[in-house]
Every structure is written in C-alpha cells, then in structure tokens.
Amino acid sequence: QVQLVQSGAEVKKPGASVKVSCKASGFIFSTYAFTWVRQAPGQGLEWMGWISAYNGDTKYPLNLQGRVTLTTDTSTSTAYMELRSLTSDDTAVYYCARVESGIIDSWGLGTLVTVSS
Amino acid sequence: EIVLTQSPGTLSLSPGERATLSCRASQSVSSTYLAWYQQKPGQAPRLLIYAASTRATGIPDRFSGSGSGTDFTLTVTRLEPEDFAVYYCQHYGSSRWTFGQGTKVEIK
C-alpha cells in the first residue's frame, strides 16, 4: 500500500535551516508529484509548494519563494523539503503528500519542527 | 493568488443532523480543481472530495460536494460520531495552490 514515511522531529535555532525527508513506497515514485503542507500549532493548513518527481518541475507560494527548496531522489524514492532562515513562525508540523493530477491523495504522518532559541 | 474563505468557522451540530459547509473563492475557479479534506486531531488530513463533487476512494456517500465558479459546498447528510472534525477546502489549479482556513464541526 502507499506509504510516506517522514523523518523525525527537529529542534532548530532561529536562523538555521531544516531538511525533512519523506520516503515513499508502494507505488512508482517517479510517476507522481509531491507537495508539502505545514500546520502551525492550532492553525490551518499552509501549502508550501510541489515538485514533480518525473522532471523536477517545482512551484512555490510567493510568501516562501527563495526560502524553501523541494527536491526528490528517484534512486531512493525520497522527497525532501528544505527551509532556510528559520524563525519561531516556522514552528509547525510539516506534511509531505503524494499528488496525482493535482489531487493530494496520500499524506505522510507529519514531522514536527520546533524553532526556539 | 486565489483566496478561499470558509464559513462558518465553527458548526455545532448533533449526530444525525445535516452539515452544510461553504467555501467561497476570491475569483472564479474551475470546479475541476477544488477539493475538500477532513482532519481529526493529531492526524494528517484525508481527501474527501476532488473536482468539487467526486468522492475519493472509500468515502461514504453521506459526504457530497457541489458548486461552481466562486461558491462551493460540502454537505454531510447525517453526521456520524466520526465526522466531527475540521474540514478544509483547497484549490489546486495550475496556479499556486491555497487552502481555506477551515470549518470545525463540533458536537452540540
């Protein structure tokens, strides 16, 4: 079955970077796109961008462009999200998810990233 | 960027009642690119509806979606105890994607 296994929780200091991984199994990785969505404590969902595992095309929201980078490694069926220049506002659960024809059809369990001095 | 506004913020209902959730877009969107998700505390969201009205695999038929243009609706005909959760609409067209702020359906 479809599985998206994310890396463990992280604690980072302001100004640092974080890279979260998402290992996929149960389907042909390179035929899908992947998206990342974050959720600050008690808040709603925020889209962080998507990447095609087929050709590496990406799209990011304007408010995160330049600070977030999505990549994939087809040899290991893993998607990555790197976020730089962290502030306390970046404290959130970060979800990776599989995308088919624009539809987010499977989600990882989430990775908690805490930014604190 | 398309802004999605959901209403009401909170819906207080009893099991067995009908829930009607609204999602309004700041500009017309193709119904092909409108989805609804359900999220329970401590869990990842779950896809309910895509293309405005198509139920995802395994979603009970008490969930239905409708709408076009700027106004979309998610209806739960008879609320079951497991339906009390937060619901989000989402636009996923070729432009940048956005989520609504969510509607919480709570037990009255």
Side-chain angles (χ1 to χ4, degrees):
Chain A
Q1 76 279 21
V2 175
Q3 278 197 308
L4 298 170
V5 179
Q6 298 186 221
S7 49
E10 302 260 15
V11 179
K12 296 292 183 181
K13 293 195 181 303
S17 298
V18 68
K19 191 169 186 176
V20 180
S21 67
C22 171
K23 184 167 178 59
S25 61
F27 60 97
I28 301 173
F29 182 83
S30 60
T31 62
Y32 286 86
F34 295 86
T35 192
W36 291 81
V37 176
R38 70 178 177 178
Q39 187 169 38
Q43 302 301 308
L45 305 174
E46 180 185 7
W47 176 66
M48 299 185 68
W50 66 255
I51 181 168
S52 166
Y54 175 71
N55 60 14
D57 283 353
T58 55
K59 185 161 285 186
Y60 302 110
L62 294 176
N63 66 317
L64 289 176
Q65 200 151 19
R67 208 160 65 87
V68 64
T69 301
L70 304 184
T71 56
T72 58
D73 182 343
T74 54
S75 69
T76 60
S77 299
T78 303
Y80 297 93
M81 184 285 300
E82 182 178 29
L83 188 61
R84 299 175 291 278
S85 303
L86 294 169
T87 72
S88 58
D89 290 342
D90 296 313
T91 293
V93 174
Y94 289 74
Y95 293 102
C96 77
R98 188 181 78 166
V99 176
E100 182 172 23
S101 301
I103 302 161
I104 306 175
D105 66 355
S106 297
W107 296 69
L109 295 181
T111 296
L112 176 62
V113 175
T114 303
V115 182
S116 173
S117 55
Chain B
E1 178 180 297
I2 294 171
V3 176
L4 299 178
T5 302
Q6 293 186 239
S7 61
T10 302
L11 203 47
S12 298
L13 296 168
S14 300
E17 290 194 294
R18 180 187 189 94
T20 303
L21 287 67
S22 173
C23 175
R24 178 162 289 177
S26 58
Q27 57 186 277
S28 183
V29 303
S30 169
S31 59
T32 302
Y33 303 123
L34 195 287
W36 290 91
Y37 299 87
Q38 176 194 67
Q39 187 180 33
K40 297 179 181 178
Q43 296 185 16
R46 176 175 72 144
L47 175 67
L48 295 176
I49 301 284
Y50 62 93
S53 61
T54 303
R55 275 188 301 277
T57 302
I59 301 303
D61 60 8
R62 64 180 181 274
F63 290 92
S64 65
S66 63
S68 63
T70 60
D71 291 301
F72 298 87
T73 300
L74 174 70
T75 301
V76 188
T77 50
R78 288 176 53 87
L79 284 165
E80 296 287 341
E82 62 268 26
D83 299 335
F84 291 90
V86 180
Y87 293 83
Y88 296 93
C89 60
Q90 184 229 356
H91 173 253
Y92 55 93
S94 58
S95 60
R96 291 172 169 84
W97 301 357
T98 53
F99 287 93
Q101 82 279 19
T103 290
K104 181 179 182 179
V105 178
E106 65 176 22
I107 299 176
K108 186 175 182 179

